[in-house]
Amino acid sequence: MDDETVDAYLERIGAKRPERLDPAALRELHERHLLSVPFENISRTERSPFDLVEAELVDKIVHRRLGGFCYELNGTFGLLLRALGFDVTMCAGRVLLGTESGPVEWDHLCLRVDFDEPYLVDIGLGWFSRHPLRLNSTEVQTDAAGEFLIEPSENGERIVHHNGKPLYRLWPQARELEDFRESWWWHQTSPESHFTQESTCWLPTQDGRLLMLGNQLVCQKGDQWTDEFFNDDESLLAAYRQYFGLELERVPPPAVQS
């Protein structure tokens, strides 16, 4: 990622180049990314599925200003962090929520960023920690998004818990983008994948979150929940633009049929 692309990416998330490569700088970039780039599966409808390679990830997130899910969000954020000089490793995980995981053992891409100690960086789950988590800590870590616990498991694996429930299994060993290609493609195209069942778009806010499910917008602000339905294409596209910053070419189509 060249300097011009780095500057465009930082502008996309409303951040400046960090003066120091430390946990505080990582924390700032992590939060700004979460609050700026939505977790979504709708952009698969914008054009034919693209390849899981660096240039196309950067084009999608930085230049076309869309969102994505873990492979795209964490994959591209990892490229930014490396370009800035952080020590970044791509890692594999498996979500433990009873969803279909596809043809390979892992179905999630996350990041490890190393300082004197390693941090778990994950902006690719839609609703996860607002800030990086200390990967080797066995204590509960309190965050704006709840309480997190990283439990050591066999063979160096970790189980990441959110609010007392196991969320995903993490393998901290290094992976490459190519290792995720089969699972990424399955999640984009298979009618068995939950990503093809209904269009969804998540974006955390300073005091809650926004969620678009089909044509329903759900807004959480503190303990208050409201929803709104958009019954025509024009108003739905305007809502994506207003609430998520997404300029879509067309309304997401119905779910993939088996």
Side-chain angles (χ1 to χ4, degrees):
M1 187 180 291
D2 60 27
D3 284 346
E4 183 178 355
T5 304
V6 168
D7 289 339
Y9 201 153
L10 292 172
E11 186 276 330
R12 167 87 166 91
I13 64 174
K16 298 179 179 179
R17 284 180 180 263
E19 296 180 359
R20 300 179 60 184
L21 301 179
D22 57 16
L26 177 64
R27 177 186 175 97
E28 174 75 7
L29 291 167
H30 189 282
E31 181 171 34
R32 286 189 177 274
H33 203 295
L34 271 176
L35 297 177
S36 303
V37 185
F39 173 92
E40 49 93 347
N41 68 341
I42 55 175
S43 55
R44 63 182 171 80
T45 69
E46 288 299 283
R47 55 179 69 178
S48 57
F50 62 94
D51 204 358
L52 190 65
V53 296
E54 293 184 7
E56 297 200 34
L57 291 178
V58 170
D59 180 61
K60 181 184 182 188
I61 302 298
V62 179
H63 302 305
R64 290 196 281 143
R65 303 177 76 89
L66 296 170
F69 45 105
C70 67
Y71 310 102
E72 300 145 25
L73 296 176
N74 283 324
T76 315
F77 190 43
L79 298 176
L80 172 67
L81 294 176
R82 283 178 180 168
L84 290 170
F86 289 93
D87 183 0
V88 182
T89 301
M90 290 185 181
C91 301
R94 180 185 176 112
V95 177
L96 302 174
L97 298 178
T99 58
E100 294 289 341
S101 62
V104 295
E105 184 176 18
W106 56 82
D107 63 354
H108 183 58
L109 188 159
C110 53
L111 304 172
R112 191 186 80 226
V113 178
D114 289 299
F115 301 102
D116 292 337
E117 63 175 322
Y119 283 77
L120 172 62
V121 170
D122 195 343
I123 56 167
L125 269 177
W127 184 247
F128 193 61
S129 63
R130 179 69 57 86
H131 302 116
L133 301 172
R134 297 169 61 202
L135 184 57
N136 288 343
S137 174
T138 57
E139 300 176 348
V140 172
Q141 301 181 59
T142 302
D143 181 88
E147 293 186 338
F148 295 85
L149 176 67
I150 301 178
E151 177 186 16
S153 185
E154 58 186 17
N155 301 322
E157 299 168 14
R158 312 282 203 282
I159 305 297
V160 182
H161 299 257
H162 181 208
N163 291 336
K165 297 181 179 180
L167 182 57
Y168 66 85
R169 181 181 300 274
L170 168 67
W171 291 267
Q173 297 86 355
R175 302 285 181 183
E176 301 295 334
L177 269 177
E178 177 66 28
D179 298 332
F180 297 91
R181 184 183 303 277
E182 186 177 3
S183 179
W184 167 81
W185 183 258
W186 183 89
H187 275 299
Q188 281 214 124
T189 60
S190 172
E192 297 179 18
S193 167
H194 59 280
F195 286 108
T196 62
Q197 301 309 306
E198 184 176 36
S199 61
T200 183
C201 187
W202 289 71
L203 189 67
T205 63
Q206 288 290 356
D207 54 3
R209 55 184 143 172
L210 299 167
L211 170 62
M212 187 78 84
L213 287 170
N215 69 333
Q216 179 187 14
L217 176 68
V218 180
C219 303
Q220 177 203 356
K221 187 173 183 179
D223 295 330
Q224 301 297 315
W225 294 80
T226 60
D227 63 355
E228 183 177 357
F229 290 87
F230 302 93
N231 296 317
D232 61 83
D233 289 0
E234 183 177 355
S235 62
L236 182 55
L237 291 174
Y240 276 117
R241 182 168 54 250
Q242 176 183 350
Y243 293 102
F244 301 97
L246 297 180
E247 293 282 353
L248 302 183
E249 298 173 0
R250 61 185 66 86
V251 168
V256 172
Q257 299 297 317
S258 58

